[in-house]
Amino acid sequence: MGSTGIVFEGVRKEYPDGTVAVGSLDLEAREGEILALVGPSGCGKSTTLRMVNRLVEPSAGRIAVAGSDVMDQDPVQLRRGIGYVIQHVGLFPHRTVAQNVATVPGLLGWSKADSQARVEELLDLVGLPVGEYGTRYPHELSGGERQRVGVARALAVRPPVLLMDEPFGAVDPQGRRRLQREFASIQKDLGTTVMMVTHDIREAVLLADRIAVLSRGGVLEQLGTPEEVTENPANDFVEDFLADFDVEPRQAEG
Ligand code: ADP
């Protein structure tokens, strides 16, 4: 009871053209953890993620978020309760930064005062103080700043579950490490359950509590902590995949 995990049981996605993006996937993102999905391009990571909020409809199997089958829920309601961050965040171009972050609180009927307080708090957390950035429009921001607004917007209503697809891809390398650390600390404070797709295995090692390595067709080759996956690859596929990135096991922060 009360779990905010994401559970996949025998989930399959076959697109109308016959492509089987995900064959039969069993997987769980546990309450409060960051689960990273990694694997070569086209292995089914985004499809897997997008089935959780029904941007892609599963062909078979069951996906439960916080114990409820996603197919039993209205997709619009479902999405309001699940944060979603993608690389090209799709901010509303004619709304200011503050208005963008206040979007879902507004839809959920929060009072103006609550909403404003939350916007201030979040913009502060992602390093964009409201006094300086609140009234700017998306075209007045750098790619990395837009990405920060996307993260703030997704966290605005403290969603118990957050989906992220290459969330820090547009941020320059120096800003990225900082934003990743800030994000990890916000996530731990909020206890958010996160499922994250990344092609950056270093990002997965840095941020994730567990990593799921997928191969073509959404086949789960290994599921384990960053240490387990990097130190004890389950098979040749995982070993070869990691070798391409020259990853070192996660070090304690110095
Ligand atoms: P990844 O995120 O790991 O790169 P995707 O989930 O995007 O992988 O894609 C998995 C497979 O499904 C790929 O073969 C891709 O070409 C295919 N695919 C993705 N979206 C569609 C679609 N809308 N129609 C048909 N095939 C698709």
Side-chain angles (χ1 to χ4, degrees):
M1 239 192 41
S3 162
T4 60
I6 305 168
V7 179
F8 282 64
E9 287 169 1
V11 175
R12 174 182 178 86
K13 176 60 191 182
E14 182 173 341
Y15 284 106
D17 68 356
T19 305
V20 178
V22 177
S24 177
L25 181 62
D26 295 300
L27 185 64
E28 178 179 6
R30 296 175 186 149
E31 178 167 2
E33 82 171 347
I34 299 181
L35 177 71
L37 308 181
V38 304
S41 177
C43 71
K45 303 180 292 295
S46 296
T47 299
T48 298
L49 193 77
R50 291 158 63 89
M51 286 193 283
V52 177
N53 62 2
R54 292 184 56 186
L55 290 172
V56 171
E57 299 280 8
S59 313
R62 181 173 185 272
I63 301 173
V65 174
S68 303
D69 191 326
V70 297
M71 297 310 286
D72 294 341
Q73 300 172 57
D74 172 66
V76 173
Q77 292 291 112
L78 177 74
R79 281 176 214 139
R80 278 183 197 161
I82 298 178
Y84 185 49
V85 184
I86 55 177
Q87 178 163 353
H88 298 289
V89 286
L91 298 177
F92 300 111
H94 304 297
R95 292 192 194 168
T96 64
V97 165
Q99 287 164 345
N100 265 283
V101 177
T103 304
V104 181
L107 289 171
L108 294 179
W110 287 27
S111 76
K112 215 163 174 183
D114 282 352
S115 179
Q116 264 170 10
R118 187 75 183 133
V119 166
E120 257 175 57
E121 182 187 350
L122 273 166
L123 285 178
D124 230 29
L125 277 174
V126 299
L128 302 173
V130 73
E132 194 176 335
Y133 288 92
T135 56
R136 290 203 203 174
Y137 287 89
H139 75 269
E140 297 170 316
L141 303 175
S142 72
E145 288 167 345
R146 279 200 285 272
Q147 202 71 30
R148 287 160 181 264
V149 177
V151 170
R153 186 174 66 176
L155 290 170
V157 295
R158 295 191 177 83
V161 173
L162 183 63
L163 308 176
M164 307 179 96
D165 199 338
E166 303 286 356
F168 308 112
V171 184
D172 62 277
Q174 278 131 23
R176 189 180 310 163
R177 285 289 173 258
R178 210 187 111 205
L179 186 55
Q180 285 167 339
R181 289 209 176 85
E182 287 164 357
F183 171 76
S185 114
I186 300 170
Q187 181 267 342
K188 287 290 171 249
D189 280 356
L190 296 177
T192 317
T193 305
V194 178
M195 192 178 268
M196 175 175 84
V197 167
T198 179
H199 74 270
D200 178 359
I201 181 85
R202 286 189 192 85
E203 178 168 287
V205 169
L206 180 76
L207 288 181
D209 295 292
R210 291 191 303 156
I211 297 177
V213 186
L214 302 177
S215 63
R216 193 155 191 83
V219 176
L220 184 60
E221 299 286 348
Q222 186 167 8
L223 175 63
T225 63
E227 290 77 8
E228 285 164 355
V229 170
T230 52
E231 286 167 19
N232 284 309
N235 54 37
D236 288 351
F237 176 86
V238 177
E239 193 161 333
D240 290 348
F241 178 69
L242 294 174
D244 287 343
F245 290 95
D246 193 20
V247 187
E248 300 196 355
R250 177 157 66 182
Q251 306 280 319
E253 292 270 322

